[in-house]
Structure formats: structure tokens, C-alpha cells
Amino acid sequence: ISNRAHIVHMHAVSPKIDNMLKITSDGRKAALDIRLVDKNGIFSYDSKASHCAENVMKIYRLTEKQKSTQLIFCDTSIPKSEFNMYDEIKSLLIGMGADEKEIAFIHDAESERERNELFSNVQSGKIRILIGSTFKLGMGVNVQKKLCAVHHLDVPWRPADMVQREGRILRRGNENEKVKIYRYITEGSFDAYSWQLLESKQKVISNILSDCM
């Protein structure tokens, strides 16, 4: 990633072949899971998927009696026929003992009726683990009743996206007095740049709002 960025800055490659947008996209994918950019990549127990699944399962078991629920956010790799984080997380959870019927993807609910039914099942605890993107699972989604944890597998583009993600659990109507928010970061990856960029954007917005007051 660093070498590619250097070559682009030196104007040693055509923008049609490689550019910062492509590099950023690949960097985000690699930080999430190397298999998203390298088909020869292998599973690692030290990956985000593995750590996330372990944390989700700990909470899943501890809150079995209350039927507490959890959200997993991921924008970079959505469900498709090729390797993706949604199927990877679900497979790991099932392998650890989670009930497949209690795991759902927001992308599977295509109609308004299906979405309402899914949200109702999360509110009741029938669905205990819901995985989705910021766009589909962020603004306007009310599933907070039994939510006890939110997991961020990747970094959203805008500060407002993070607010929307965490706004699903930090809101009235949640029966849990204490909740957990996890942010997964791959050391030495593009994640550091992504978080710094998000922080910089938030500072600019905060300064503008401060000047307007």
C-alpha cells in the first residue's frame, strides 16, 4: 500500500491503472481481512473476524437468559458470492455454538414488510445477532430494546455515520443500563489512517459549528 501510494505521488503510474481511490479501497479491505485483496490469503485466529466472533459469543452466552441482542457493522465487505465478512462471521459464530436461526443479515430483508418483521424479531430477542452496513442498519432503525453490544468491524467514511451506528444502542427504550461498544483495529494497517481521517473530519465540523454559535 505504501509503495503504491509513493508511486502515485511520484506520478509514475497512470491514474487509470492505479490511484489513491483504489489504494484507499484496497487498504480498507486489507485492514478488514487480507483475503479480500489476496485470494491466496489464509484464515488467522488473530483477525478481526475471529476476535469479533469471540467477543460476540461471550456476550451471546452470558445474556442467554435475557435474550440480549448485538449489532455488527461492516460497510467494506457486504454479502456476495465471493468471500465476504458477513458469511465469514456467521460461519465462525455457528462453529462456536450460536444458533443459525438467531443470526441475520440486514441485506436479506429487501421489502419494507421484511425489514419490519426482522426489526420486530430483534426487538423480541428472536434474532440475537444482526449484521449490516451503516446505510441499511443506521438511520431510522429502532432495534434498541435488548441491545447490549455494538461491534464496528470497519471505519465509516463520515463522523455522522459513526453517530448513526452507535445511535442504534445509545438511545431511549433500551432495557440495558450498561452497553458495550467494540471498535476493531488491525495493527500496522490502513485502519490508523482511516480513524485519523474520521477524527480530522469531526474536528472540522466541530470548529464550523463552534464558529456559527
Side-chain angles (χ1 to χ4, degrees), residues 146-160:
K146 291 182 173 293
L147 275 182
C148 63
V150 164
H151 305 261
H152 300 288
L153 276 180
D154 56 8
V155 190
W157 286 106
R158 303 172 302 177

Side-chain angles (χ1 to χ4, degrees), residues 44-58:
S44 170
Y45 284 103
D46 201 28
S47 65
K48 283 187 179 183
S50 181
H51 282 292
C52 178
E54 288 177 358
N55 286 331
V56 170
M57 280 307 300
K58 287 178 185 177

Side-chain angles (χ1 to χ4, degrees), residues 1-23 26:
I1 294 296
S2 297
N3 289 338
R4 285 173 60 189
H6 177 70
I7 292 172
V8 168
H9 285 308
M10 293 296 292
H11 303 289
V13 62
S14 169
K16 293 182 179 180
I17 297 176
D18 203 7
N19 54 62
M20 286 308 299
L21 184 59
K22 289 182 178 180
I23 292 173
D26 287 346

